[in-house]
Amino acid sequence: MRDLSGDRKGYLLFFILKGGGSSLRATNTKYESEKSIKKVMYACMSAAMIAVPTVPAYAAQNDVIDTTRTASLTIHKYDMTAAKKGGVNLDQFTSTGKQDAAAEEALKNYAIKGVEFSYLRVGDVEQQSENGKVQMIYELPDALQKIIGLTDSDAAKTEGSKDYFTSQIINDKLAKALEDNTATKDKLEDYMGKGGTAMDLTDAKGVTKKDKLPLGLYLIVETKVPEDVTYTTNPWFVQLPSTDSEG
């Protein structure tokens, strides 16, 4: 990931998507609601970097999304500039799709308290099976499509007035739109506006969490930061529930 931060503060931010009763188990049977599945996405966040991508999701053909279930979202915020100065080897942290207890331990002294993130559910999630390929696709409103540069030809499915896209397409378009482009960041923050719901401020461990969220695609925006934080991170999308190929 390219560092665009210059001399500004840098951060590591990661979120844990815990399905609880909403976990989609990648097996050949059914939802296994008695087990919760965690999915972690790590990204080195700097003052003006590209957004964290939508979490990729995979499912077996016989899995069905139960939209009556709920999921939870946990976000961690760290000061990576301070961590690097403190001797933490940042290169050891990579996106593995699994929770990294070692990263949490190494960065616990660099947590940022008092940061507010807000979320807004922007679309539904569906499972698509085509030519033997099963994937998750996400609804995105026309206004957001225009902001990040999606076109009709990018859609994996159109159903009435709803367009659905793969996570890869959303990721690529969002990253390109945000690269060296504060206008896109501003538009996404404006889209969130007063319609978003604020999460609790990050605690002393740099953690904030929200439970019982309806499944779907969410826009996440960093809406408040402490006085010593010079820049908010770029908005990003996250999908609930999150699964991986190993379940």
Side-chain angles (χ1 to χ4, degrees), residues 138-207:
Y138 317 111
E139 177 197 359
L140 210 60
D142 290 343
L144 284 175
Q145 292 179 40
K146 292 177 181 178
I147 290 174
I148 67 175
L150 285 165
T151 63
D152 291 342
S153 62
D154 294 319
K157 174 185 176 181
T158 298
E159 188 176 72
S161 60
K162 295 182 177 181
D163 294 322
Y164 293 81
F165 303 86
T166 64
S167 61
Q168 186 64 55
I169 289 292
I170 295 174
N171 293 347
D172 291 346
K173 292 290 187 176
L174 180 61
K176 184 176 180 180
L178 283 169
E179 187 175 14
D180 299 324
N181 187 349
T182 57
T184 297
K185 181 175 184 289
D186 291 342
K187 289 177 181 178
L188 289 170
E189 291 174 344
D190 289 343
Y191 185 91
M192 170 75 74
K194 296 181 180 180
T197 300
M199 299 175 70
D200 292 337
L201 299 180
T202 53
D203 60 20
K205 295 182 179 180
V207 177

Side-chain angles (χ1 to χ4, degrees), residues 33-61:
S33 59
E34 71 276 8
K35 296 181 180 179
S36 62
I37 300 171
K38 292 183 179 179
K39 174 76 174 181
V40 182
M41 177 69 71
Y42 294 90
C44 289
M45 307 290 289
S46 63
M49 54 165 284
I50 64 175
V52 179
T54 306
V55 180
Y58 306 88
Q61 286 190 347

Side-chain angles (χ1 to χ4, degrees), residues 2-3 14 16-18 37 57 61 90 101 111 155-156 160 162 170-171 192 205 212 222 237:
R2 190 158 66 93
D3 185 3
F14 67 87
I16 303 172
L17 305 179
K18 183 177 180 181
I37 300 171
Q61 286 190 347
L90 305 183
K162 295 182 177 181
I170 295 174
N171 293 347
M192 170 75 74
K205 295 182 179 180
K212 298 182 179 178
E222 190 176 35
F237 295 106

Side-chain angles (χ1 to χ4, degrees), residues 19-24 31 33 64-72 121 124-125 211-216 218 240-241:
S22 69
S23 314
L24 181 60
Y31 252 103
S33 59
V64 178
I65 298 175
D66 184 349
T67 56
T68 67
R69 305 289 188 176
T70 60
S72 63
R121 188 180 185 277
D124 296 328
V125 55
D211 294 318
K212 298 182 179 178
L213 292 172
L215 306 188
Y218 287 79
L240 298 175

Side-chain angles (χ1 to χ4, degrees), residues 2-115:
R2 190 158 66 93
D3 185 3
L4 304 174
S5 61
D7 59 354
R8 298 188 177 108
K9 279 183 176 288
Y11 309 100
L12 175 79
L13 177 150
F14 67 87
F15 51 86
I16 303 172
L17 305 179
K18 183 177 180 181
S22 69
S23 314
L24 181 60
R25 186 77 172 173
T27 67
N28 291 322
T29 54
K30 58 182 178 64
Y31 252 103
E32 295 187 5
S33 59
E34 71 276 8
K35 296 181 180 179
S36 62
I37 300 171
K38 292 183 179 179
K39 174 76 174 181
V40 182
M41 177 69 71
Y42 294 90
C44 289
M45 307 290 289
S46 63
M49 54 165 284
I50 64 175
V52 179
T54 306
V55 180
Y58 306 88
Q61 286 190 347
N62 290 337
D63 285 330
V64 178
I65 298 175
D66 184 349
T67 56
T68 67
R69 305 289 188 176
T70 60
S72 63
L73 170 67
T74 300
I75 302 175
H76 296 234
K77 181 90 177 201
Y78 299 112
D79 184 338
M80 295 304 285
T81 299
K84 185 175 182 179
K85 290 180 179 179
V88 178
N89 177 16
L90 305 183
D91 293 334
Q92 67 183 299
F93 305 128
T94 58
S95 177
T96 64
K98 297 184 182 297
Q99 185 172 3
D100 190 341
E104 295 180 43
E105 178 64 24
L107 295 165
K108 66 181 181 181
N109 293 328
Y110 306 101
I112 300 179
K113 181 181 179 181
V115 177

